[in-house]
Amino acid sequence: MKPLNPAAIAPPFARYSHGMELPVGKRLVFCSGQLGIAADGSVPEDVRAQADLCFANIAAILAEAGMTLADIVRVNAYVTDRAYMNGYMESRDAHVGALPPASTLMIVSGFTRPEFKVEIEVVAAAH
């Protein structure tokens, strides 16, 4: 995989790439948006803890395809308040691989249940 960050445009605002180029022959996995909910149905209050659970859930999905979080090439994330951006970004930076994936972060009005503060979906690629 090759990060694409052309000098002709402004650099990324944080640890992400403007684009990712995939070599021929890579398999793709598209993960649905994951919420910060544990297998027992509990939802932590803290946005960082919710984001960490999102990435743990994504890791479990990717493992089903023989992939890891290091195979993520694109992240779409949604938070319900600007104040939650840092907690989400700390989690993202702790969980994605050495090559920062392409990434979008949006502030939304809410999710299916009011206790959810973040939702994360990814695309991963591997041989």
Side-chain angles (χ1 to χ4, degrees):
M1 296 181 284
K2 175 183 170 187
L4 303 173
N5 292 303
I9 64 176
F13 289 121
R15 190 174 172 267
Y16 65 89
S17 299
H18 282 305
M20 292 292 284
E21 180 182 4
L22 303 177
V24 174
K26 288 275 188 174
R27 295 179 301 118
L28 297 176
V29 170
F30 295 82
C31 292
S32 295
Q34 296 299 304
L35 296 161
I37 186 167
D40 66 4
S42 64
V43 178
E45 175 65 26
D46 179 67
V47 69
R48 169 66 194 262
Q50 285 192 24
D52 288 343
L53 268 173
C54 292
F55 280 109
N57 293 342
I58 290 166
I61 295 164
L62 294 178
E64 290 283 311
M67 295 184 189
T68 70
L69 295 174
D71 295 312
I72 294 172
V73 297
R74 172 124 183 97
V75 176
N76 290 338
Y78 312 91
V79 295
T80 57
D81 193 293
R82 190 174 312 277
Y84 300 146
M85 290 171 50
N86 286 339
Y88 156 71
M89 289 190 296
E90 289 170 3
S91 180
R92 178 199 62 203
D93 292 350
H95 290 94
V96 298
L99 295 177
S103 183
T104 297
L105 174 59
M106 295 181 65
I107 300 168
V108 297
S109 63
F111 301 113
T112 54
R113 292 177 15 197
E115 65 267 37
F116 294 129
K117 297 177 179 172
V118 61
E119 183 170 349
I120 303 169
E121 60 187 28
V122 304
V123 176
H127 286 289

